[in-house]
Every structure is written in C-alpha cells, then in structure tokens.
Amino acid sequence: MSKPVTTSENTQLKDIVAHAKEYGFVFQSSEIYDGLAAVYDYGPNGVELKNNLKRLWWEAMTQLHGNVVGIDAAIFMDPRTWEASGHVAGFNDPLIDNLDSQKRYRADVLIEEKAAEYERAGDPARAAALTATLGRLLTENDLAGVKQLILDEKIVDPLSGSAKWTDVRQFNLMFSTQGSAVDSDAPPVYLRPETAQGIFVNFLNVQKSARQKIPFGIAQIGKAFRNEIVARQFIFRMREFEQMEMQFFVRPGTEGEWYDTWKAARRRFHEAIGLAPEKLRFHDHDKLAHYAKAAVDIEYEFPFGFKEIEGIHSRSDFDLTQHQNLSRKKQQYFDNDLNPDTGKPYGNYVPYVVETSVGADRLFLATLCQAYQEETITEGEGEEQTTKTRTLLKLHPALAPIKAAIFPLVRKDGMPEKAQEIFDSLRFDFRLVIEDKDAIGKRYTRQDLIGTPFCIVVDGQTLEDDTVTVRDRDTREQTRMPISALRAYIGERVSFKTVFAKL
Ligand code: GAP
C-alpha cells in the first residue's frame, strides 16, 4: 500500500456543494420549487455532523468551564431589544442597484472586489488605499462618497457590464413579522439577527439563579436571521443560520486580558477539531461594529479564500447599559471582592463583556472543506498494481456522522447474524450501520465518502474465534482484534475527550 498523494488543495467550492448534496449533508431548501436563495437544509449525515459540532462547542463551553452556563432564549424578543442594541438604527448594509440589469449589490462588496482585483494584479498598495478609503467613507456614513468611489473606480455590474448605478442607500438586515394576531397596529417583531441579545436581557436572571460570580459566561446556540443582500458561497452566508455565542461578563478594566484569553482559546478549539493551523488566521477589524471596542475574526481558508468563521468582540458595557437605559431596570452587579487599591469592595457596576461568536454553519462548511480529500492511491503489487483516485472525508472521528460500519463479508454462513450481534452490543455506545450490499471495496468507498472512521469486517475467521478486522479510513490499514476489544478501540478514538484534551 503506497503513500497517497492528496490533491485537496485544488478543491473547488462546487466539488464540496456537489458532495454535500450527493451524500446527504446539505440540500438547497425547497429545491423542488427551484430553491429559496441562501436557505439550506441539512440531510441525514449533515445533521449528525452539525449536531456533533454543536455538542462539542456546548460541552467545551459549559462542561469544561465551571463559570460558563447555558441558556436557550426565544427567537422573538420585545422589539425594544433591537432599539437598545442598535440594530434598528445601525444594522445596515449599503446597497446599490444597477439600472440596466435590475440587480442589487452590496456597494462595499463591489469595492472590496475591485481591491482584490488590484491585489491579484500585483498592486497591493492600490488595493490597500481603496480599502482604507472605503473604510473611512463607511465610518462617516458618506453614502454619496461610496457611490462616487464606484464611479471613479469604473466599477461595472459583473453581469451586464453596465455602469448605470442608483444612489447607495442603507438597507436594514433584520427580518420582521406581524407582532400580534389581534392588534394589526402592534409593532412588528423581529427575527433575531444575533443570539447575543437573548443573553444580555437574561444577564441578571442567570447570574442570580445560577449563583455566578464575575467573571462568568453565558452560552447559547440558536437560530439567527439576516436578510443578506449578497447571498453566495453556499452555506457561508445564509438568511437563516445558527450561531454559537458566549458572552463573558467581566469586571471593567479586565476585558483586555479576557479578550486575549478567549481569542487564544477559540483558535485552539478550531485546531482541536481538525482545522489545519496554516488555514487559520486572525484578522483584526478595521471597521468596528456599532457595539465593539475591539474585534478580531478567526478566518479559515475556504476554497474561495480566507473568510471569517468566528468573531471575538470586546463589547464593553454597551449592551447592558443600553438595556438598562431603555428598560429602566438596573443591569448592575455587586462585586464584593476587595479592590487592592482602595481596600474596599469593587461594589456596583455594569459588567463589561467579551463575546465569542461562531456560526455553526460556517464551522460546518470549514470542517467539510478541510475534510474533503482526493487522493491518488496505488494498490496491489507488480503487474496487478493499479492506481486510482479515492475521495474521502477525513473528518475528526469525534465529528463523523457514523462511527463504524459493520460488513458481513458475505450474506450467508451466519455472518449477517454475527454482524447484527456486534451492532446490538455496541449500539448504546456509537452510531453504527450494517452494510451488506456490494463488494467490500465498494462498501469501503461508500463509508470513506461520508467520513466513517472505522469499518468492521465479519469473515469466516470471526465465526471461529470471535475476531474481526477493523479498517482505518485514513491509512486503509486493517487490524484484526477480538470483538470484545471494539468498544474500547473505537470509543477511545471517537471520544470528545480527544478534542477536549487539546483545549
Ligand atoms: N453577536 C455578534 C455577531 O453576531 P457577527 O460577526 O455578525 O457577530 C458572528 O456574526 C458569526 O455568525 C460569524 O462569524 C459567522 O460565523 C456567523 N454568521 C454571521 N452572519 C452569517 C450568515 N449570514 N450566514 C451564516 N453565518 C453567519
């Protein structure tokens, strides 16, 4: 068995999209009606992988930290929440329409794409200057300036080539719906654009009921909705997506250390679940969101370039103070630790917040891109030697949708019954499948394609001495072992502990 040559560097997003559909990971939503743009459904393997990612994140947050607890807040919130948070006034993207093609674009994205063009053409200085000008215009909310920049740069509609643009205007990304079944004048309720606000408005409920002392965190996984103008790149930018957010409440003045601590911790998490260190990088924000005092993205190198998968934000006391002002309910904490400078308790204050916010879907996509491999392998010896390409998902075993597949070598001689016996003895421990159709090689291929780390073969020898072969997905090596050893062998390798130990 020779060493495989991996060609995953050339993987394109279209390969991932096709694979995700073919093998039951991700489907376009309402596909039979031609699909709803930027909305996706997870299939049988996708939901398992996504649930594993979510469980890993959840346990890494709440089980590994005595001072991080979870909540599950509602998607609908009092509309005043979004006034306080700044989303009603400020959660906008600058959009522009092309009069010829009738297509709508994000004005900032058109300019960023132009900057990327300069970069590719070997003029990074021009690219940087353009990005800086855009940043300044957006900070000053100078929309006329943004349009002028588009005209000056001779940016045309990528579809029609036309330069006939409307003015740039701000477009609020929040979806809203009817707030009351009885009162048609009732204000609309929004579908939350981030899960974080459900945490902020519950800050005191959680602190008191969970008897937490600062510093402590509140974690949540849930759906969020944004009416994205540019909805491209598969599940990277969706209109309905899932966030995994943790707000860490700290004493003012200590937020800098906590920001650094969480920044490092979150990168370790991504590496521990198998994202390649060289495909991860930090990117400090130039343009800060309305709530942020400092912000960094953890970016992953997708087939379409380095893009954000997670944001770490130092949000100061912005959100709690805003909610305190609008609700007129104090959002303070009494800190009875002694301040060494005064010898007195720190007393009452509105805590500062360091937030970690990762999209479950983006993490899913990064995981899939990382795992997707095409290898050229050589099998057999001498004249029998053949070379072929195999496609596989090298998922971390803790993430794999199915942990082991059991193959009776043939569908007779008691082998199917033995396979069923093994399945029954392990089904409380792992998600397994029995595969008895087609030749063994084809069955291995099917499991490689969905990332199953182990294939257990029941053969003639099994019936004599209760041993099986276990084939490793990545090395293709087979090891014979007693059936009684399977639980420990597989368990050790698929356990979340293998990830947690690296955090
Ligand atoms: N509470 C802070 C917050 O929402 P964000 O940077 O806007 O910050 C955090 O979003 C994460 O949510 C992103 O890093 C990304 O992983 C995910 N996310 C944001 N918008 C998304 C979208 N339209 N589709 C998929 N994931 C998205």
Side-chain angles (χ1 to χ4, degrees):
M1 206 183 280
S2 69
K3 197 174 173 300
V5 182
T6 301
T7 55
S8 59
E9 287 309 306
N10 302 324
T11 301
Q12 312 256 323
L13 185 63
K14 66 174 175 40
D15 302 327
I16 304 288
V17 177
H19 193 91
K21 179 175 177 195
E22 175 94 23
Y23 298 103
F25 285 88
V26 183
F27 308 127
Q28 172 80 60
S29 161
S30 3
E31 194 187 4
I32 59 167
Y33 294 103
D34 298 330
L36 185 63
V39 187
Y40 291 89
D41 301 335
Y42 287 84
N45 287 318
V47 69
E48 296 294 337
L49 172 56
K50 193 175 183 199
N51 282 344
N52 287 337
L53 283 167
K54 290 195 291 187
R55 269 184 50 222
L56 262 171
W57 181 89
W58 186 257
E59 289 177 19
M61 282 295 173
T62 63
Q63 188 173 312
L64 301 197
H65 298 99
N67 62 347
V68 178
V69 291
I71 62 163
D72 182 15
I75 287 171
F76 292 141
M77 301 182 70
D78 187 299
R80 285 172 293 180
T81 307
W82 306 108
E83 275 171 47
S85 69
H87 284 81
V88 171
F91 194 52
N92 301 316
D93 275 343
L95 69 82
I96 191 164
D97 292 291
N98 186 277
L99 291 167
D100 286 326
S101 70
Q102 307 285 318
K103 293 272 174 215
R104 180 163 288 177
Y105 296 93
R106 261 179 65 177
D108 54 336
V109 170
L110 287 176
I111 296 170
E112 277 160 12
E113 280 168 359
K114 187 76 186 175
E117 212 179 290
Y118 290 142
E119 190 90 46
R120 284 195 297 276
D123 196 348
R126 194 162 180 197
L130 184 55
T131 310
T133 309
L134 173 66
R136 179 179 55 74
L137 293 169
L138 290 175
T139 310
E140 292 166 2
N141 200 21
D142 181 356
L143 299 183
V146 174
K147 177 172 182 187
Q148 196 51 50
L149 195 56
I150 288 179
L151 298 178
D152 293 347
E153 289 290 334
K154 301 195 171 32
I155 295 174
V156 294
D157 181 323
L159 289 177
S160 65
S162 150
K164 269 201 207 157
W165 296 109
T166 61
D167 286 344
V168 177
R169 44 199 199 290
Q170 293 289 17
F171 175 77
N172 194 287
L173 298 184
M174 282 195 294
F175 282 105
S176 61
T177 185
Q178 186 74 37
S180 163
V182 281
D183 177 4
S184 53
D185 292 331
V189 288
Y190 297 105
L191 276 74
R192 65 181 176 195
E194 61 171 11
T195 57
Q197 297 304 325
I199 293 179
F200 288 123
V201 299
N202 277 300
F203 157 66
L204 283 177
N205 283 338
V206 174
Q207 185 267 319
K208 287 178 184 151
S209 61
R211 295 186 295 113
Q212 289 292 331
K213 280 187 67 165
I214 271 178
F216 77 96
I218 306 178
Q220 177 170 216
I221 299 179
K223 290 265 181 167
F225 303 83
R226 296 183 189 180
N227 199 355
E228 299 282 2
I229 303 164
V230 178
R232 275 188 320 205
Q233 293 157 335
F234 194 35
I235 55 172
F236 181 81
R237 197 177 299 286
M238 301 156 88
R239 295 203 162 104
E240 172 181 343
F241 57 100
E242 246 177 316
Q243 287 187 315
M244 307 194 280
E245 298 202 294
M246 196 277 301
Q247 314 298 129
F248 200 69
F249 298 88
V250 305
R251 185 183 295 148
T254 63
E255 67 277 9
E257 307 156 37
W258 284 113
Y259 179 71
D260 293 341
T261 301
W262 281 110
K263 185 175 153 181
R266 293 306 305 147
R267 187 181 171 130
R268 278 198 302 279
F269 177 87
H270 296 303
E271 290 183 14
I273 63 167
L275 300 186
E278 66 278 10
K279 283 181 173 275
L280 289 166
R281 73 177 188 196
F282 288 119
H283 176 251
D284 287 310
H285 283 208
D286 309 320
K287 178 182 174 255
L288 293 175
H290 60 272
Y291 53 75
K293 291 283 170 281
V296 65
D297 291 339
I298 300 179
E299 294 186 336
Y300 176 75
E301 190 178 16
F302 290 97
F304 44 89
F306 272 102
K307 297 277 178 213
E308 170 187 354
I309 52 171
E310 171 151 10
I312 322 286
H313 309 125
S314 187
R315 294 179 78 129
S316 71
D317 57 357
F318 175 84
D319 302 84
L320 288 180
T321 304
Q322 288 287 101
H323 289 304
Q324 175 170 275
N325 292 343
L326 200 65
S327 68
R328 295 168 194 250
K329 309 266 170 22
K330 278 210 170 358
Q331 297 299 309
Q332 290 187 344
Y333 169 84
F334 185 80
D335 187 340
N336 51 19
D337 281 1
L338 291 185
N339 178 341
D341 294 338
T342 62
K344 293 187 182 142
Y346 283 98
N348 269 317
Y349 55 78
V350 177
Y352 271 40
V353 168
V354 172
E355 165 185 74
T356 72
S357 173
V358 57
D361 312 274
R362 280 200 196 167
L363 191 56
F364 181 103
L365 183 58
T367 304
L368 209 55
C369 293
Q370 180 71 47
Y372 183 92
Q373 313 258 322
E374 278 170 7
E375 289 181 348
T376 307
I377 52 172
T378 312
E379 285 176 332
E381 301 286 329
E383 291 198 350
E384 307 273 284
Q385 206 172 62
T386 54
T387 299
K388 64 174 190 181
T389 304
R390 80 160 174 157
T391 303
L392 75 161
L393 290 186
K394 270 195 184 172
L395 290 168
H396 189 301
L399 293 175
I402 293 168
K403 304 306 180 192
I406 308 168
F407 304 165
L409 186 62
V410 288
R411 271 194 269 179
K412 56 182 184 180
D413 301 338
M415 288 182 211
E417 292 76 8
K418 196 72 189 172
Q420 188 64 48
E421 217 178 88
I422 297 172
F423 180 93
D424 290 341
S425 72
L426 295 177
R427 74 194 170 99
F428 288 177
D429 302 273
F430 314 115
R431 226 176 147 258
L432 307 162
V433 286
I434 297 180
E435 273 264 22
D436 59 5
K437 288 188 194 65
D438 299 319
I440 285 285
K442 263 199 176 166
R443 294 188 235 171
Y444 283 144
T445 302
R446 273 204 294 272
Q447 295 305 318
D448 285 349
L449 287 163
I450 61 168
T452 306
F454 304 107
C455 292
I456 300 164
V457 177
V458 173
D459 55 17
Q461 194 179 327
T462 312
L463 306 176
E464 285 163 23
D465 64 4
D466 263 350
T467 62
V468 285
T469 61
V470 178
R471 183 256 199 187
D472 182 285
R473 176 196 66 202
D474 300 345
T475 61
R476 291 175 290 135
E477 264 157 30
Q478 292 170 28
T479 316
R480 187 163 278 280
M481 67 180 71
I483 291 171
S484 58
L486 286 173
R487 179 173 292 109
Y489 182 85
I490 299 170
E492 233 170 68
R493 287 159 180 79
V494 305
S495 166
F496 279 11
K497 283 186 207 162
T498 57
V499 173
F500 295 155
K502 294 187 182 148
L503 301 178

